[in-house]
Amino acid sequence: MVTIAEGVEFDTVAREWRCKWSADAEKASLVAAQKAITEIIAQVKAIDGVKSVQRVVCGGCLDFKIITSLSADKFGAWEENAFAPEVDFLSTLKGIDGISAVETQTFTLMPM
């Protein structure tokens, strides 16, 4: 367990890959983004320390997010490896017509 401040602890660190998709062309960019993560999901799940991989899709704000959660003690090794396969996945997203605002974020998680 890691303590950020008094009473603020965590045991999980997550990396989020996110983008906006377009509803144009029968939501073709969303379909392509899903295909892109499907192609690498086994690789992501095989990362040492992975607790879960979640996909978030919001039809209202057009968000597509992949959240990979790892044990806090294993996260550093993934970070040292540049969060592989992050660079390739984000590059694929950026190449999809209708995808915009490709971003990443790291945050901690803790059950309450």
Side-chain angles (χ1 to χ4, degrees):
M1 191 95 50
V2 179
T3 301
I4 298 173
E6 184 179 337
V8 184
E9 301 170 327
F10 66 91
D11 63 359
T12 303
V13 182
R15 182 72 169 176
E16 179 180 83
W17 303 328
R18 65 178 176 249
C19 64
K20 297 289 188 179
W21 53 274
S22 169
D24 295 344
E26 303 284 324
K27 302 176 185 169
S29 59
L30 176 59
V31 171
Q34 179 62 46
K35 286 180 182 176
I37 192 60
T38 299
E39 290 176 5
I40 64 161
I41 195 67
Q43 186 180 354
V44 176
K45 288 182 175 182
I47 295 164
D48 186 32
V50 166
K51 291 181 163 187
S52 70
V53 181
Q54 298 171 293
R55 186 204 66 221
V56 178
V57 175
C58 178
C61 60
L62 307 181
D63 283 339
F64 180 86
K65 302 177 181 186
I66 302 299
I67 302 168
T68 304
S69 302
L70 281 76
S71 301
D73 62 338
K74 300 285 187 173
F75 188 82
W78 188 36
E79 184 175 31
E80 288 173 9
N81 196 29
F83 303 110
E86 178 175 279
V87 170
D88 293 338
F89 179 67
L90 298 181
S91 178
T92 298
L93 287 179
K94 290 175 183 177
I96 298 170
D97 189 37
I99 294 287
S100 61
V102 177
E103 299 175 332
T104 64
Q105 183 176 359
T106 298
F107 50 87
T108 66
L109 297 169
M110 185 67 183
M112 298 298 295

